[in-house]
């Protein structure tokens, strides 16, 4: 049939683009406008082959083959089909598994079924050479596209280059129509500044219950380089050192609010310390009734709104942690019937009520922020998610928060 198909190795295309624009092949160093990129690929393919486009196949790796935000946006675009391989980590580096095999299978199947007259390959891997040769034997013209190399040399297999019917180079001018280097790569939220109050907290006297627990724990652990005496059951023991003061654990601090039978007179002023960009602030150890009754986004969302939210997440939301927090806060504020909740929540800054915070983090998990982190969102990502939440809330309420002096 007189039409063309484009097969894109996303790892090659975006990695080479990052090398060209940012100096290293890390896709985290670039920002990609996928709509503009797909449109550019379509227009270039139709111009080079002089055939109408049938479809663009986008091959990429993903953790456990779970679609990431960019994949969800791509697969709802017209004339785009996403094929995912696995993304694994070995020797500190990420590697795609199964992508080349999937491209090879698709290439040979399309050619064998005479689904098109021209195939455009955007790849550099020589493993596709047998598939390219098979496609040519079935009468398909194979066009090989390269991304301009940062050092001016080849970034493709020379065997592929030699076997291709036509070859084109996607230069810097073409790439920058849809790809930009990030000015400040990394997390959008600054790392928390050191807090001098930490030293004061650690030097404060411990309650007797916590001190006894710390001494007991110290007694069970021999000092470094010291051989502890053997106990009756063959284990080693060491007597507690007098005057030793250990750092309190969460269990030690929890003893401050233990059962009345164990602690007849617990300190009435026991509080937890919460850190924020305002400094250290005291909060009650348990949530107030207002915080516990704060409505969640799920309670405020109708079935129609839930469907629209899903569409927006797929097509618009990029998955940046800060942006995710803003989107969640915008929906929460816009759907609140009782606007007094906004002022109550603002007064709780920097602490988000537990039930709302848990829902916020679960929403963020949809965007792949849990990947490769043992089902835990990275600390900086959590900081950025909550910072975006508070920023959107402040924009809605006109609140201006300033960092404490000295930071």
């Amino acid at each position: 049939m007189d039409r063309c198909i484009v097969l894109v190795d996303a790892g090659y295309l975006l990695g080479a683009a990052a090398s060209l624009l940012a100096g290293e092949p890390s896709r985290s160093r670039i920002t990609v406008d996928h709509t503009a990129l797909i449109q550019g690929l379509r227009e270039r393919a139709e111009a080079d082959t002089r055939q109408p486009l049938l479809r663009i196949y986008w091959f990429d790796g993903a953790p456990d083959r779970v679609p990431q935000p960019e994949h969800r946006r791509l697969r709802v675009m017209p004339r785009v089909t996403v094929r995912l391989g696995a993304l694994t980590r070995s020797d500190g580096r990420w590697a795609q598994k199964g992508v080349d095999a999937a491209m090879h299978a698709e290439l040979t199947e399309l050619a064998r079924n005479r689904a098109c007259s021209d195939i455009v390959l955007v790849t550099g891997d020589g493993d596709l050479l047998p598939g390219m040769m098979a496609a040519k034997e079935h009468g398909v013209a194979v066009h090989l596209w390269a991304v301009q190399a940062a050092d001016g040399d080849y970034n493709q297999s020379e065997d592929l280059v030699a076997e291709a019917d036509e070859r084109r180079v996607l230069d810097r001018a073409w790439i920058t129509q849809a790809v930009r280097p990030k000015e400040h790569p990394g997390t959008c939220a600054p790392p928390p500044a050191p807090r001098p109050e930490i030293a004061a907290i650690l030097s404060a006297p411990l309650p007797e219950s916590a001190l006894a627990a710390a001494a007991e724990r110290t007694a069970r652990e021999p000092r470094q380089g010291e051989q502890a005496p053997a106990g009756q059951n063959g284990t080693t023991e060491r007597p507690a050192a007098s005057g030793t003061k250990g750092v309190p654990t969460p269990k030690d601090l929890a003893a401050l609010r233990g059962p009345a039978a164990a602690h007849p007179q617990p300190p009435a002023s026991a509080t937890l310390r919460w850190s924020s960009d305002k400094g250290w602030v005291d909060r009650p150890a348990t949530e107030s009734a207002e915080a516990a009754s704060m409505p969640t986004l799920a309670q405020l969302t109708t079935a129609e709104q839930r469907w629209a939210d899903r569409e927006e997440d797929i097509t618009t939301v990029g998955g940046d942690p800060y942006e995710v927090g803003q989107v969640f806060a915008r929906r929460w504020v816009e759907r609140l019937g009782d606007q007094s909740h906004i002022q109550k929540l603002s007064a709780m800054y920097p602490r988000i009520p537990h039930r709302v915070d848990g829902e916020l983090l679960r929403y963020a998990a949809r965007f792949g922020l849990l990947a490769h982190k043992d089902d835990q969102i990275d600390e900086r990502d959590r900081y950025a998610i909550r910072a975006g939440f508070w920023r959107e809330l402040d924009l809605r309420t006109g609140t201006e928060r300033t960092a404490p002096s000295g930071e």
Side-chain angles (χ1 to χ4, degrees):
M1 290 189 180
D2 293 336
R3 52 193 182 186
C4 67
I5 290 176
V6 182
L7 305 183
V8 181
D9 180 351
Y12 166 77
L13 173 60
L14 300 183
S19 294
L20 178 65
L21 302 181
E24 61 180 85
S26 174
R27 289 161 63 170
S28 63
R29 298 292 304 276
I30 56 175
T31 300
V32 183
D33 182 343
H34 290 89
T35 302
L37 181 58
I38 293 298
Q39 184 63 27
L41 288 170
R42 177 172 187 166
E43 292 174 355
R44 183 70 177 263
E46 292 180 336
D48 281 5
T49 65
R50 297 184 177 87
Q51 303 293 347
L53 177 77
L54 172 62
R55 190 174 298 115
I56 295 176
Y57 287 89
W58 185 273
F59 295 86
D60 202 1
D64 300 322
R65 290 184 169 84
V66 176
Q68 301 299 292
E70 63 182 276
H71 303 140
R72 294 202 298 271
R73 289 195 298 274
L74 283 164
R75 65 185 183 180
V76 297
M77 293 181 184
R79 304 281 180 154
V80 176
T81 296
V82 176
R83 297 281 189 261
L84 295 181
L87 191 63
T88 60
R89 190 174 182 86
S90 177
D91 297 328
R93 301 182 63 181
W94 295 109
Q96 295 181 158
K97 298 295 183 182
V99 173
D100 296 336
M103 287 191 70
H104 180 277
E106 200 73 56
L107 173 60
T108 54
E109 189 70 13
L110 291 169
R112 183 183 300 112
N113 293 328
R114 302 188 182 277
C116 58
S117 59
D118 297 75
I119 289 181
V120 176
L121 286 178
V122 186
T123 186
D125 199 324
D127 291 344
L128 286 177
L129 181 61
M132 178 186 286
M133 297 172 64
K136 292 174 63 177
E137 291 173 358
H138 284 89
V140 175
V142 180
H143 304 251
L144 183 65
W145 288 0
V147 176
Q148 179 182 342
D151 56 5
D153 201 355
Y154 281 120
N155 55 12
Q156 290 178 307
S157 163
E158 291 190 19
D159 292 333
L160 279 183
V161 174
E163 192 67 28
D165 294 309
E166 301 284 347
R167 183 172 184 263
R168 296 288 185 270
V169 176
L170 305 176
D171 59 16
R172 181 185 292 268
W174 189 92
I175 292 293
T176 52
Q177 293 177 12
V179 183
R180 295 283 189 277
K182 289 184 179 178
E183 296 182 2
H184 302 287
T187 181
C188 60
R195 303 293 183 180
E197 295 89 342
I198 292 178
I201 293 173
L202 295 180
S203 62
L206 295 176
E208 292 183 2
S209 58
L211 191 58
E216 181 181 354
R217 184 173 60 254
T218 304
R220 292 196 299 266
E221 301 174 357
R223 294 189 181 92
Q224 184 176 3
E226 177 182 299
Q227 182 63 40
Q232 294 180 354
N233 58 356
T235 60
T236 56
E237 297 178 352
R238 181 174 61 83
S242 59
T244 300
K245 175 180 179 295
V247 177
T249 66
K251 184 177 180 180
D252 299 333
L253 296 177
L256 294 174
R257 302 184 65 83
H263 305 281
Q265 296 179 344
S269 60
T271 58
L272 297 178
R273 305 286 281 181
W274 295 82
S275 61
S276 71
D277 58 1
K278 289 184 62 176
W280 291 88
V281 295
D282 290 330
R283 294 291 182 188
T286 57
E287 284 195 327
S288 64
E290 289 182 348
S293 63
M294 199 72 67
T296 63
L297 180 61
Q299 293 172 330
L300 302 170
T301 303
T302 64
E304 291 78 8
Q305 289 172 328
R306 189 174 296 109
W307 185 89
D309 290 348
R310 198 65 173 172
E311 285 292 303
E312 182 184 14
D313 290 343
I314 293 173
T315 59
T316 306
V317 183
D320 176 81
Y322 192 88
E323 179 191 11
V324 167
Q326 287 185 302
V327 171
F328 183 93
R330 170 174 56 80
R331 293 172 181 171
W332 190 82
V333 170
E334 289 177 351
R335 295 167 191 175
L336 269 178
D338 185 356
Q339 296 298 306
S340 65
H341 285 302
I342 299 177
Q343 298 302 325
K344 294 176 182 177
L345 180 61
S346 184
M348 298 176 190
Y349 178 84
R351 182 172 182 268
I352 303 174
H354 179 72
R355 61 209 307 260
V356 177
D357 187 59
E359 187 182 38
L360 169 61
L361 296 181
R362 288 192 296 274
Y363 171 66
R366 298 179 188 174
F367 296 90
L369 294 174
L370 293 180
H372 314 304
K373 295 169 185 174
D374 299 323
D375 292 333
Q376 294 292 326
I377 296 179
D378 180 77
E379 183 178 4
R380 290 193 177 186
D381 285 349
R382 281 187 275 121
Y383 182 93
I385 292 166
R386 289 160 177 155
F389 178 92
W390 283 115
R391 178 57 181 164
E392 182 67 21
L393 193 71
D394 292 345
L395 289 175
R396 299 279 173 162
T397 59
T399 305
E400 291 292 336
R401 305 189 192 274
T402 57
S405 60
E407 296 190 5

